[in-house]
Amino acid sequence: MLGTCSHGRRDLVRRRVAPTLCLVLAVLSLLTAGCGPFDWTIVHEVSPAQLQALMDDGLPLQIIDVRTPAEFAAGHIHGSVNRPLADLDTWAAGIDTPTRICVVCQIGARSATAAEALVARGFSQVYALAGGLAAWPGQLVTS
């Protein structure tokens, strides 16, 4: 009888506990796969204050305004360049993938789309301004 009970426990472990443990370990490995000091494989949404800090840190940063030319002319961040979202395939090909880029638009929707497309094309340091220019407290330049 004692041998049957012990065998029954081993069978229970083999049928239930082991697969559950394997599943837990697989999920944990997937969740921690990209973890490191900083994972650049995703879009980083930044606040206006964080964007200002990026602009002031002395490292190269390209600010790309993905709105239409008319929207850009009505007001944009000083130093930004207008590259409409509709033309992303064309202008993205002319930028080196290691370039730090922050994409902006009016409220953040188009810049999020552009940022995700840039990451999918191999860009590794992509930021998107949270809330877009509607959240930008600084002066806008008109042209």
Side-chain angles (χ1 to χ4, degrees):
M1 195 79 170
L2 186 58
T4 306
C5 184
S6 176
H7 184 305
R9 269 189 246 170
R10 272 185 287 176
D11 192 42
L12 175 67
V13 168
R14 204 175 312 132
R15 285 184 304 150
R16 293 206 178 141
V17 177
T20 302
L21 183 59
C22 287
L23 179 62
V24 168
L25 291 174
V27 169
L28 286 174
S29 69
L30 286 173
L31 291 174
T32 60
C35 293
F38 204 71
D39 184 8
W40 286 108
T41 60
I42 59 171
V43 174
H44 300 282
E45 192 172 68
V46 293
S47 68
Q50 290 170 315
L51 174 54
Q52 187 64 58
L54 289 170
M55 293 167 67
D56 295 340
D57 70 8
L59 298 173
L61 174 69
Q62 187 167 15
I63 302 172
I64 299 176
D65 190 319
V66 296
R67 298 175 302 153
T68 66
E71 290 174 296
F72 184 79
H76 55 273
I77 296 174
H78 177 71
S80 64
V81 294
N82 186 219
R83 302 290 183 262
L85 178 60
D87 301 330
L88 186 136
D89 289 330
T90 303
W91 59 258
I95 302 172
D96 291 333
T97 55
T99 303
R100 276 192 334 165
I101 297 172
C102 183
V103 288
V104 300
C105 67
Q106 188 58 39
I107 60 171
R110 286 176 283 180
S111 60
T113 299
E116 289 171 7
L118 291 170
V119 167
R121 284 169 174 74
F123 290 86
S124 59
Q125 297 186 55
V126 181
Y127 303 91
L129 178 60
L133 292 178
W136 183 251
Q139 288 286 328
L140 296 179
V141 178
T142 57
S143 55

